[in-house]
Amino acid sequence: MATIISLDLSRRKASEHALDNLAALVGEDMTAVNQLIIRRMESHVPLIPQLAGHIIAAGGKRLRPILTLASARLCGYDGTRHLKLSASVEFIHTATLLHDDVVDASDLRRGGPSANALFGNEASVLVGDFLFSRAFQLMVEDGSIDVLRILSTASAVIAEGEVLQLTTTNNSATSEQAYLEVVRAKTAELFAAACRIGAVVAARPSSEEEALRTYGLNLGIAFQIVDDVLDYSAEQARLGKTVGDDFREGKMTLPVILAINRGSEAERAFWHRTLDETDFRDGDLEHAQDLLRRHNALRDAIDRARHYGAIARDALGIFHDHPIKQALLDIIDFTVEREF
């Protein structure tokens, strides 16, 4: 059963167009980035472009490279360095998706069959490695040690986040703090780096670089929290993966942590049986969704996401009014007010 969280209608309608508006503002740049992505995923080994093309063409929003393009333009940059770096960001993100789907044994990605379901785990992992390598080639071609340091650090932190998540999976004793550590590393770090390098290529002062890093980091945290809510509340057609995947995989996400902390002994025993022991029975997902509703865990998780969105909003205060600044602010609403 889907849980619908009612939101202010005018805010929701405005947020629905936020990504389209931002993408339009950097449309010419994004066209060049897409062409670059296609060229750079080519290989004399046919399976590589075939598999990489499958996931890249699967309909992703390209939010992270768009953030790099927009951040650079917000900082007044009028060169072309940000194009290769945006492609690098997208390759890093796509590589992590390929690896994630193998680790999670996911069959769906963005509403279609995942790459590992079509091509196998081995090919997905190796093509992910190929895309990571392509990302680093693009960084080296840029020639900036600062950019290389930011994006290479982000790649290492993302890998740490993936490993850290393994230690929280199937562990119903996971704390909210531990969950947030995973989110910051696994998701938010790349958002932060994607925005930060926009200021770096524009040679802006450290205050603007830090502001964009803070914006991206908190936007990324909000983004992941909402994704975790959607796993229990969205319809499968909208979610692009099977509803309840996180539950069946024993992933500890914020809504579940809140429900466990607020629950009775009997309820905690249910979470222990399902998440820790992976002993699933008919009706367990529906019961989990009922517990999340009973303890207002979904709504409160969204409130947490709004909190991080507010921090992201404040971070952009350092910049003068500009259509791109407004579009970046609107992206915060898009992130938090996605359909539940």
Side-chain angles (χ1 to χ4, degrees), residues 170 247-248 250 269-281 284:
N170 303 122
F247 177 67
R248 284 179 285 268
F270 163 79
W271 293 113
H272 178 77
R273 171 175 64 80
T274 53
L275 298 177
D276 295 16
E277 299 179 351
T278 64
D279 177 10
F280 296 107
R281 303 168 190 174
D284 277 349

Side-chain angles (χ1 to χ4, degrees), residues 105-126:
S106 298
D107 294 325
L108 289 177
R109 166 63 63 181
R110 295 166 181 159
S114 62
N116 52 298
L118 288 177
F119 301 98
N121 289 338
E122 296 87 348
S124 291
V125 169
L126 294 173

Side-chain angles (χ1 to χ4, degrees), residues 82-127:
H82 63 323
L83 302 180
K84 283 187 177 181
L85 297 178
S86 296
S88 179
V89 166
E90 182 65 6
F91 279 148
I92 292 171
H93 174 56
T94 304
T96 62
L97 294 184
L98 287 170
H99 291 169
D100 280 354
D101 284 346
V102 171
V103 171
D104 297 338
S106 298
D107 294 325
L108 289 177
R109 166 63 63 181
R110 295 166 181 159
S114 62
N116 52 298
L118 288 177
F119 301 98
N121 289 338
E122 296 87 348
S124 291
V125 169
L126 294 173
V127 172

Side-chain angles (χ1 to χ4, degrees), residues 41-43 53 105 118 157 160 180 232 313 319:
M41 69 183 189
E42 284 301 322
S43 168
L118 288 177
V157 170
E160 288 176 335
L180 288 172
Y232 286 92
R313 183 178 301 276
F319 296 98

